[in-house]
Amino acid sequence: MIITPDGPRVIDWSDAEEGDPGLDWAATAVVLAQAAVAGDSLSAPADTMLTALLDGPSPLTRTALTEALRRRGANPTMGRAEVELLDTAAELILSRARTG
């Protein structure tokens, strides 16, 4: 999904599947948290979006977060540096989220 001037747009359904909404929430949080901790020009906007995502109740659970991190780490398109950000990204998510 990307955000355009006209709102969010889905750009890729290749790995879509039916399942737990908490996993979907967690997967989004992981991608945003990775960007937030990367230390580049997208970090501040990603951090703002992550904060908004995690503000208030959500279907995010620790189980879903663990699975989202596992799946993200196993993604063959991820570079080594991106994989190395996952632990820090998880810490950021857990520090801000209300997980069940």
Side-chain angles (χ1 to χ4, degrees):
M1 180 167 285
I2 61 169
I3 304 299
T4 72
D6 297 322
R9 297 288 182 252
V10 175
I11 59 170
D12 186 0
W13 284 92
S14 66
D15 59 354
E17 60 185 70
E18 193 171 327
D20 174 17
L23 179 57
D24 196 34
W25 206 275
T28 301
V30 168
V31 171
L32 289 172
Q34 269 184 298
V37 300
D40 60 25
S41 64
L42 297 177
S43 293
D47 189 66
T48 299
M49 286 187 275
L50 179 65
T51 298
L53 178 73
L54 299 176
D55 186 30
S58 76
L60 178 67
T61 64
R62 286 183 184 263
T63 301
L65 179 57
T66 299
E67 179 62 12
L69 289 162
R70 184 197 67 75
R71 289 182 183 201
R72 185 78 173 151
N75 184 326
T77 66
M78 293 270 293
R80 185 161 150 211
E82 291 171 301
V83 172
E84 290 173 356
L85 292 174
L86 287 174
D87 288 341
T88 306
E91 290 172 14
L92 179 61
I93 294 165
L94 290 171
S95 74
R96 295 191 184 167
R98 299 177 204 173
T99 60

